[in-house]
Amino acid sequence: MLAWLVEWWDGVELWLVQLPYVLQVTLVFAVLVPLAWVLARVIDRGIDGLGARLTRVRDAEPPVRRDGSAGRKGTAA
């Protein structure tokens, strides 16, 4: 059923293993670092959103945004 995927993955592994070590490390970092960063951002946003929905405090401030602002739009800081 997924034999083509297994064969493709085996080919990718074989190609990667045959590269010089420096290129292997460079490719792994070029793929894994952005992937891990995106995954961490998604998990962080999801947990922040879930925490905001499940809080018992009615007028709780939302998490601090990237630009440093917090709270609702239109409120003075």
Side-chain angles (χ1 to χ4, degrees):
M1 186 166 122
L2 292 175
W4 65 270
L5 181 63
V6 172
E7 289 178 22
W8 175 82
W9 185 251
D10 285 342
V12 170
E13 284 180 331
L14 182 61
W15 172 75
L16 186 61
V17 168
Q18 291 176 349
L19 290 175
Y21 181 73
V22 174
L23 288 176
Q24 288 179 8
V25 171
T26 304
L27 279 173
V28 167
F29 278 124
V31 172
L32 288 184
V33 169
L35 185 64
W37 183 79
V38 167
L39 184 62
R41 293 281 290 181
V42 167
I43 290 171
D44 184 49
R45 297 280 179 156
I47 290 174
D48 280 348
L50 185 63
R53 289 182 187 265
L54 297 177
T55 186
R56 292 182 182 188
V57 180
R58 175 165 232 134
D59 292 327
E61 292 289 326
V64 176
R65 292 190 200 102
R66 186 173 202 187
D67 61 358
S69 64
R72 297 185 186 124
K73 293 181 180 178
T75 59

Coordinates of all heavy atoms in Angstrom, one line a residue:
M1 N 0.8 -1.2 0.0 CA 0.0 0.0 0.0 C 0.9 1.3 0.0 O 0.7 2.1 -0.8 CB -0.9 0.0 1.2 CG -1.9 1.1 1.2 SD -3.2 0.8 2.4 CE -3.0 2.2 3.4
L2 N 1.8 1.4 0.9 CA 2.7 2.5 1.0 C 4.1 2.1 0.6 O 5.0 2.7 1.1 CB 2.7 3.1 2.4 CG 1.3 3.8 2.8 CD1 1.4 4.2 4.3 CD2 1.0 4.9 1.9
A3 N 4.2 1.1 -0.2 CA 5.5 0.7 -0.6 C 6.3 1.8 -1.3 O 7.5 1.9 -1.2 CB 5.4 -0.5 -1.5
W4 N 5.6 2.6 -2.1 CA 6.3 3.7 -2.8 C 6.9 4.7 -1.9 O 8.0 5.2 -2.1 CB 5.4 4.4 -3.8 CG 4.2 5.1 -3.1 CD1 3.0 4.5 -2.8 CD2 4.2 6.4 -2.7 NE1 2.3 5.5 -2.2 CE2 3.0 6.6 -2.1 CE3 5.2 7.5 -2.7 CZ2 2.6 7.8 -1.5 CZ3 4.8 8.7 -2.1 CH2 3.5 8.8 -1.5
L5 N 6.2 4.9 -0.8 CA 6.7 5.9 0.2 C 7.9 5.3 1.0 O 8.9 6.0 1.2 CB 5.6 6.2 1.3 CG 6.0 7.2 2.4 CD1 6.3 8.5 1.8 CD2 4.8 7.3 3.4
V6 N 7.9 4.0 1.3 CA 9.0 3.4 1.9 C 10.2 3.4 1.0 O 11.3 3.7 1.4 CB 8.6 1.9 2.3 CG1 9.8 1.2 2.8 CG2 7.5 1.9 3.4
E7 N 10.0 3.1 -0.3 CA 11.1 3.1 -1.2 C 11.7 4.5 -1.4 O 12.9 4.7 -1.4 CB 10.7 2.6 -2.6 CG 10.4 1.1 -2.6 CD 9.9 0.6 -3.9 OE1 10.1 1.3 -4.9 OE2 9.2 -0.5 -3.9
W8 N 10.8 5.5 -1.5 CA 11.3 6.9 -1.6 C 12.1 7.3 -0.3 O 13.1 7.9 -0.5 CB 10.1 7.8 -1.7 CG 10.5 9.3 -1.8 CD1 11.0 10.0 -2.8 CD2 10.4 10.2 -0.6 NE1 11.2 11.3 -2.4 CE2 10.9 11.4 -1.1 CE3 10.0 10.1 0.7 CZ2 11.0 12.5 -0.3 CZ3 10.1 11.2 1.5 CH2 10.6 12.4 1.0
W9 N 11.6 7.0 0.9 CA 12.3 7.3 2.1 C 13.6 6.6 2.2 O 14.6 7.2 2.6 CB 11.4 7.0 3.3 CG 12.1 7.4 4.6 CD1 12.6 6.6 5.5 CD2 12.2 8.8 5.0 NE1 13.1 7.4 6.5 CE2 12.9 8.7 6.2 CE3 11.9 10.0 4.5 CZ2 13.2 9.9 6.9 CZ3 12.2 11.1 5.2 CH2 12.9 11.1 6.4
D10 N 13.7 5.4 1.7 CA 15.0 4.6 1.7 C 16.0 5.3 0.8 O 17.1 5.4 1.1 CB 14.8 3.2 1.3 CG 14.2 2.3 2.4 OD1 14.2 2.7 3.6 OD2 13.7 1.2 2.1
G11 N 15.5 5.8 -0.3 CA 16.3 6.5 -1.3 C 16.8 7.8 -0.7 O 18.0 8.2 -0.9
V12 N 16.0 8.6 0.0 CA 16.4 9.8 0.7 C 17.4 9.5 1.7 O 18.4 10.2 1.8 CB 15.2 10.5 1.3 CG1 15.6 11.7 2.1 CG2 14.3 11.0 0.2
E13 N 17.2 8.5 2.6 CA 18.2 8.1 3.6 C 19.5 7.8 3.0 O 20.6 8.2 3.5 CB 17.6 7.0 4.4 CG 16.6 7.3 5.4 CD 16.1 6.1 6.2 OE1 16.2 5.0 5.7 OE2 15.7 6.3 7.3
L14 N 19.5 7.0 1.9 CA 20.7 6.5 1.3 C 21.5 7.8 0.7 O 22.7 7.9 0.9 CB 20.4 5.5 0.2 CG 21.6 5.0 -0.6 CD1 22.5 4.2 0.4 CD2 21.2 4.0 -1.7
W15 N 20.7 8.7 0.1 CA 21.4 9.9 -0.4 C 22.0 10.7 0.7 O 23.1 11.2 0.6 CB 20.3 10.7 -1.2 CG 20.8 12.0 -1.6 CD1 21.6 12.3 -2.6 CD2 20.4 13.3 -1.0 NE1 21.8 13.7 -2.7 CE2 21.1 14.3 -1.7 CE3 19.6 13.7 0.1 CZ2 21.0 15.6 -1.4 CZ3 19.5 15.0 0.4 CH2 20.2 16.0 -0.4
L16 N 21.3 10.9 1.8 CA 21.8 11.7 2.9 C 23.0 11.1 3.5 O 24.0 11.7 3.9 CB 20.6 11.9 3.9 CG 20.9 12.8 5.1 CD1 21.2 14.2 4.6 CD2 19.8 12.8 6.1
V17 N 23.0 9.7 3.7 CA 24.1 9.1 4.3 C 25.4 9.1 3.5 O 26.5 9.2 4.0 CB 23.7 7.6 4.6 CG1 24.9 6.8 5.0 CG2 22.7 7.5 5.7
Q18 N 25.2 9.2 2.2 CA 26.4 9.2 1.3 C 27.0 10.6 1.2 O 28.0 10.8 0.6 CB 26.0 8.7 -0.1 CG 25.7 7.2 -0.1 CD 25.2 6.7 -1.4 OE1 24.9 7.4 -2.3 NE2 25.2 5.4 -1.5
L19 N 26.3 11.7 1.7 CA 26.8 13.0 1.6 C 28.0 13.2 2.6 O 28.0 12.5 3.6 CB 25.8 14.0 1.9 CG 24.7 14.2 0.9 CD1 23.6 15.2 1.5 CD2 25.2 14.8 -0.4
P20 N 28.9 14.1 2.4 CA 29.9 14.4 3.4 C 29.2 14.9 4.7 O 28.1 15.5 4.7 CB 30.7 15.5 2.8 CG 30.5 15.4 1.3 CD 29.1 14.9 1.2
Y21 N 29.9 14.7 5.8 CA 29.3 15.0 7.1 C 28.9 16.5 7.2 O 27.8 16.7 7.8 CB 30.3 14.7 8.2 CG 29.8 14.9 9.6 CD1 28.8 14.1 10.2 CD2 30.2 16.0 10.3 CE1 28.3 14.3 11.4 CE2 29.7 16.3 11.6 CZ 28.8 15.4 12.1 OH 28.3 15.7 13.4
V22 N 29.7 17.4 6.8 CA 29.3 18.8 6.9 C 28.0 19.1 6.1 O 27.2 19.8 6.6 CB 30.5 19.7 6.3 CG1 30.1 21.1 6.3 CG2 31.8 19.5 7.1
L23 N 27.8 18.5 5.0 CA 26.6 18.7 4.2 C 25.4 18.1 5.0 O 24.3 18.6 4.9 CB 26.7 18.2 2.8 CG 27.6 19.1 1.9 CD1 27.7 18.4 0.5 CD2 27.0 20.4 1.8
Q24 N 25.6 16.9 5.6 CA 24.6 16.3 6.3 C 24.1 17.1 7.5 O 22.9 17.4 7.6 CB 25.1 14.9 6.9 CG 25.3 13.8 5.9 CD 25.8 12.6 6.6 OE1 25.9 12.5 7.9 NE2 26.2 11.6 5.8
V25 N 25.0 17.7 8.2 CA 24.7 18.5 9.4 C 24.0 19.8 8.9 O 23.0 20.2 9.4 CB 25.9 18.9 10.2 CG1 25.6 19.9 11.2 CG2 26.5 17.6 10.8
T26 N 24.5 20.4 7.8 CA 23.9 21.6 7.2 C 22.4 21.3 6.8 O 21.5 22.1 7.1 CB 24.7 22.1 6.1 OG1 26.0 22.3 6.5 CG2 24.1 23.4 5.5
L27 N 22.2 20.2 6.1 CA 20.8 19.9 5.7 C 19.9 19.6 6.8 O 18.7 20.0 6.8 CB 20.9 18.7 4.7 CG 21.2 19.0 3.3 CD1 21.4 17.8 2.5 CD2 20.2 19.9 2.6
V28 N 20.4 18.9 7.8 CA 19.5 18.6 9.0 C 19.2 19.9 9.7 O 18.0 20.1 10.0 CB 20.3 17.6 9.9 CG1 19.6 17.5 11.2 CG2 20.3 16.2 9.3
F29 N 20.1 20.8 9.9 CA 19.8 22.0 10.6 C 18.9 22.9 9.7 O 18.0 23.6 10.2 CB 21.1 22.8 10.9 CG 21.7 22.3 12.2 CD1 23.0 21.9 12.2 CD2 21.0 22.3 13.4 CE1 23.6 21.5 13.4 CE2 21.6 21.9 14.6 CZ 22.9 21.5 14.6
A30 N 19.1 22.9 8.4 CA 18.3 23.7 7.5 C 16.8 23.2 7.5 O 15.9 24.0 7.3 CB 18.8 23.7 6.1
V31 N 16.6 22.0 7.8 CA 15.2 21.4 7.8 C 14.7 21.4 9.2 O 13.5 21.8 9.4 CB 15.2 20.0 7.2 CG1 13.9 19.3 7.4 CG2 15.6 20.1 5.7
L32 N 15.4 20.9 10.2 CA 14.9 20.7 11.5 C 14.7 22.0 12.3 O 13.7 22.1 13.1 CB 15.8 19.7 12.3 CG 15.7 18.3 11.8 CD1 16.5 17.4 12.7 CD2 14.2 17.8 11.8
V33 N 15.6 22.9 12.2 CA 15.5 24.1 13.0 C 14.2 24.9 12.6 O 13.4 25.3 13.5 CB 16.8 25.0 12.9 CG1 16.5 26.4 13.5 CG2 17.9 24.3 13.6
P34 N 14.0 25.2 11.3 CA 12.7 25.9 11.0 C 11.5 25.1 11.4 O 10.5 25.6 11.9 CB 12.7 26.1 9.5 CG 14.2 26.0 9.2 CD 14.8 25.1 10.1
L35 N 11.5 23.8 11.2 CA 10.4 22.9 11.5 C 10.1 22.9 13.0 O 9.0 23.0 13.5 CB 10.7 21.5 11.0 CG 9.5 20.5 11.2 CD1 8.3 20.9 10.3 CD2 10.0 19.1 10.8
A36 N 11.2 22.8 13.8 CA 11.0 22.8 15.3 C 10.5 24.2 15.7 O 9.7 24.3 16.6 CB 12.3 22.5 16.0
W37 N 11.0 25.3 15.1 CA 10.5 26.6 15.5 C 9.0 26.8 15.2 O 8.3 27.3 16.0 CB 11.3 27.7 14.7 CG 11.0 29.1 15.1 CD1 11.4 29.8 16.2 CD2 10.1 30.0 14.4 NE1 10.9 31.0 16.2 CE2 10.1 31.2 15.1 CE3 9.4 29.8 13.2 CZ2 9.3 32.2 14.7 CZ3 8.7 30.9 12.8 CH2 8.6 32.1 13.5
V38 N 8.6 26.4 14.0 CA 7.2 26.5 13.7 C 6.3 25.6 14.6 O 5.3 26.1 15.1 CB 7.0 26.1 12.2 CG1 5.5 25.9 11.9 CG2 7.6 27.1 11.3
L39 N 6.8 24.4 14.9 CA 6.0 23.5 15.8 C 5.9 24.1 17.2 O 4.9 24.1 17.8 CB 6.7 22.2 15.8 CG 6.0 21.1 16.6 CD1 4.6 20.8 16.1 CD2 6.8 19.8 16.7
A40 N 7.0 24.7 17.7 CA 7.0 25.4 19.0 C 6.1 26.5 19.0 O 5.3 26.8 20.0 CB 8.4 25.8 19.4
R41 N 6.0 27.4 17.9 CA 5.1 28.5 17.9 C 3.6 28.0 17.9 O 2.8 28.6 18.6 CB 5.4 29.3 16.6 CG 6.7 30.0 16.6 CD 6.7 31.3 17.4 NE 5.8 32.3 16.8 CZ 5.6 33.5 17.2 NH1 6.2 33.8 18.3 NH2 4.8 34.3 16.6
V42 N 3.3 27.0 17.1 CA 2.0 26.5 17.1 C 1.6 25.9 18.5 O 0.4 26.2 18.9 CB 1.9 25.4 16.0 CG1 0.6 24.6 16.1 CG2 2.0 26.0 14.6
I43 N 2.4 25.2 19.1 CA 2.1 24.7 20.4 C 1.9 25.8 21.4 O 1.0 25.8 22.2 CB 3.2 23.7 20.9 CG1 3.1 22.4 20.0 CG2 3.0 23.3 22.4 CD1 4.3 21.4 20.3
D44 N 2.8 26.8 21.4 CA 2.7 27.9 22.3 C 1.4 28.7 22.1 O 0.7 29.0 23.1 CB 3.9 28.9 22.1 CG 4.0 30.0 23.1 OD1 3.8 29.7 24.3 OD2 4.1 31.2 22.6
R45 N 1.1 29.0 20.9 CA -0.2 29.7 20.6 C -1.4 28.9 21.0 O -2.4 29.4 21.6 CB -0.3 30.0 19.1 CG 0.7 30.9 18.6 CD 0.4 32.4 18.9 NE 1.4 33.2 18.4 CZ 1.3 34.5 18.1 NH1 0.1 35.0 18.3 NH2 2.3 35.2 17.7
G46 N -1.3 27.6 20.8 CA -2.5 26.7 21.2 C -2.6 26.7 22.7 O -3.8 26.8 23.2
I47 N -1.5 26.5 23.4 CA -1.6 26.5 24.9 C -2.1 27.8 25.4 O -2.9 27.9 26.3 CB -0.3 26.0 25.5 CG1 -0.1 24.6 25.1 CG2 -0.3 26.3 27.0 CD1 1.2 24.0 25.5
D48 N -1.6 29.0 24.8 CA -2.0 30.3 25.3 C -3.5 30.4 25.1 O -4.3 30.9 25.9 CB -1.3 31.4 24.5 CG 0.1 31.7 25.1 OD1 0.4 31.2 26.2 OD2 0.9 32.4 24.4
G49 N -4.0 30.1 23.9 CA -5.4 30.2 23.6 C -6.3 29.3 24.5 O -7.3 29.7 25.0
L50 N -5.8 28.1 24.7 CA -6.5 27.2 25.6 C -6.6 27.7 27.0 O -7.6 27.6 27.7 CB -5.9 25.8 25.6 CG -6.6 24.7 26.3 CD1 -8.0 24.4 25.7 CD2 -5.8 23.4 26.3
G51 N -5.4 28.2 27.5 CA -5.4 28.8 28.8 C -6.3 30.0 29.0 O -6.9 30.2 30.0
A52 N -6.4 30.8 27.9 CA -7.3 32.0 28.0 C -8.7 31.6 28.0 O -9.6 32.2 28.7 CB -7.0 32.9 26.8
R53 N -9.1 30.5 27.4 CA -10.5 30.0 27.4 C -10.8 29.3 28.7 O -12.0 29.4 29.1 CB -10.7 29.0 26.2 CG -10.7 29.7 24.9 CD -11.0 28.7 23.8 NE -10.9 29.2 22.5 CZ -11.9 29.7 21.8 NH1 -13.1 29.7 22.3 NH2 -11.7 30.2 20.6
L54 N -9.9 28.7 29.3 CA -10.2 27.9 30.5 C -9.9 28.6 31.8 O -10.1 28.0 32.8 CB -9.3 26.6 30.5 CG -9.6 25.6 29.3 CD1 -8.7 24.4 29.4 CD2 -11.1 25.2 29.3
T55 N -9.5 29.9 31.7 CA -9.2 30.6 33.0 C -10.5 30.9 33.7 O -11.6 31.0 33.2 CB -8.5 31.9 32.7 OG1 -8.1 32.5 33.9 CG2 -9.3 32.9 31.9
R56 N -10.4 30.9 35.0 CA -11.5 31.2 35.9 C -11.7 32.7 36.1 O -12.7 33.1 36.5 CB -11.4 30.5 37.2 CG -11.4 29.0 37.1 CD -11.3 28.4 38.5 NE -11.3 26.9 38.4 CZ -11.4 26.1 39.3 NH1 -11.5 26.6 40.6 NH2 -11.4 24.8 39.2
V57 N -10.7 33.5 35.8 CA -10.7 34.9 36.0 C -11.5 35.5 34.8 O -11.1 35.3 33.6 CB -9.3 35.5 36.1 CG1 -9.4 37.0 36.2 CG2 -8.6 34.8 37.2
R58 N -12.6 36.2 35.0 CA -13.5 36.6 33.9 C -12.8 37.7 33.0 O -12.9 37.6 31.8 CB -14.8 37.2 34.5 CG -15.6 37.8 33.5 CD -17.0 38.0 34.0 NE -17.9 37.4 33.0 CZ -18.8 36.5 33.2 NH1 -19.2 36.2 34.4 NH2 -19.5 36.0 32.2
D59 N -12.1 38.7 33.6 CA -11.5 39.7 32.8 C -10.0 39.6 32.7 O -9.3 40.6 32.8 CB -11.9 41.1 33.4 CG -13.4 41.4 33.3 OD1 -13.9 41.0 32.3 OD2 -13.9 42.1 34.2
A60 N -9.6 38.4 32.6 CA -8.1 38.1 32.5 C -7.5 38.7 31.3 O -8.2 38.7 30.2 CB -7.8 36.6 32.6
E61 N -6.4 39.3 31.4 CA -5.7 39.8 30.2 C -5.2 38.7 29.3 O -4.7 37.7 29.8 CB -4.5 40.7 30.6 CG -4.8 41.9 31.4 CD -5.4 43.0 30.5 OE1 -5.0 43.0 29.3 OE2 -6.3 43.7 30.9
P62 N -5.3 38.9 28.0 CA -4.8 37.8 27.1 C -3.2 37.8 27.2 O -2.7 38.8 27.7 CB -5.3 38.2 25.7 CG -5.6 39.7 25.9 CD -5.9 39.9 27.3
P63 N -2.6 36.8 26.7 CA -1.1 36.7 26.7 C -0.5 37.9 26.0 O -1.1 38.5 25.1 CB -0.8 35.4 26.0 CG -2.1 34.7 25.9 CD -3.2 35.6 26.1
V64 N 0.7 38.3 26.4 CA 1.4 39.4 25.8 C 1.7 39.0 24.4 O 2.2 37.9 24.1 CB 2.7 39.7 26.6 CG1 3.5 40.7 25.9 CG2 2.4 40.1 28.0
R65 N 1.5 39.9 23.5 CA 1.7 39.6 22.1 C 3.2 39.9 21.8 O 3.9 40.5 22.5 CB 0.8 40.5 21.2 CG -0.6 40.1 21.3 CD -1.5 40.8 20.3 NE -2.8 40.8 20.7 CZ -3.5 41.8 21.3 NH1 -2.9 42.9 21.5 NH2 -4.7 41.7 21.7
R66 N 3.6 39.6 20.5 CA 4.9 39.7 20.1 C 5.4 41.2 20.1 O 6.5 41.5 20.4 CB 5.1 39.1 18.7 CG 6.5 39.1 18.2 CD 6.6 38.4 16.9 NE 7.9 37.9 16.7 CZ 8.3 37.4 15.6 NH1 7.6 37.2 14.6 NH2 9.6 37.0 15.5
D67 N 4.5 42.1 19.8 CA 4.8 43.5 19.7 C 4.9 44.2 21.1 O 5.2 45.4 21.2 CB 3.9 44.3 18.8 CG 2.4 44.3 19.3 OD1 2.2 43.6 20.4 OD2 1.6 44.9 18.7
G68 N 4.7 43.4 22.1 CA 4.8 43.9 23.5 C 3.5 44.4 24.1 O 3.4 44.7 25.3
S69 N 2.5 44.5 23.3 CA 1.2 45.1 23.8 C 0.4 43.9 24.4 O 0.6 42.8 24.1 CB 0.4 45.7 22.6 OG 0.0 44.7 21.7
A70 N -0.4 44.3 25.4 CA -1.2 43.3 26.0 C -2.6 43.9 26.2 O -2.8 45.1 26.1 CB -0.7 42.9 27.4
G71 N -3.6 43.1 26.4 CA -4.9 43.6 26.7 C -5.7 43.7 25.4 O -5.3 43.4 24.3
R72 N -6.9 44.3 25.6 CA -7.8 44.5 24.5 C -7.5 45.7 23.6 O -6.8 46.6 24.1 CB -9.2 44.6 25.0 CG -9.7 43.4 25.7 CD -11.1 43.5 26.1 NE -11.5 42.4 26.9 CZ -12.0 42.5 28.1 NH1 -12.2 43.7 28.6 NH2 -12.3 41.4 28.8
K73 N -7.9 45.7 22.4 CA -7.7 46.9 21.5 C -8.5 48.0 22.1 O -9.6 47.9 22.6 CB -8.2 46.6 20.1 CG -7.3 45.6 19.4 CD -7.8 45.4 18.0 CE -7.0 44.3 17.3 NZ -7.4 44.1 15.9
G74 N -7.9 49.2 22.0 CA -8.6 50.4 22.4 C -8.5 50.7 23.9 O -9.0 51.7 24.4
T75 N -7.8 49.9 24.7 CA -7.6 50.2 26.1 C -6.2 50.9 26.2 O -5.3 50.6 25.5 CB -7.6 49.0 27.0 OG1 -6.6 48.1 26.5 CG2 -9.0 48.3 26.9
A76 N -6.2 51.8 27.1 CA -4.9 52.5 27.4 C -4.0 51.6 28.3 O -4.4 50.9 29.2 CB -5.1 53.9 28.1
A77 N -2.7 51.7 28.0 CA -1.8 50.9 28.7 C -1.3 51.6 30.0 O -1.2 52.7 30.1 CB -0.5 50.6 27.9

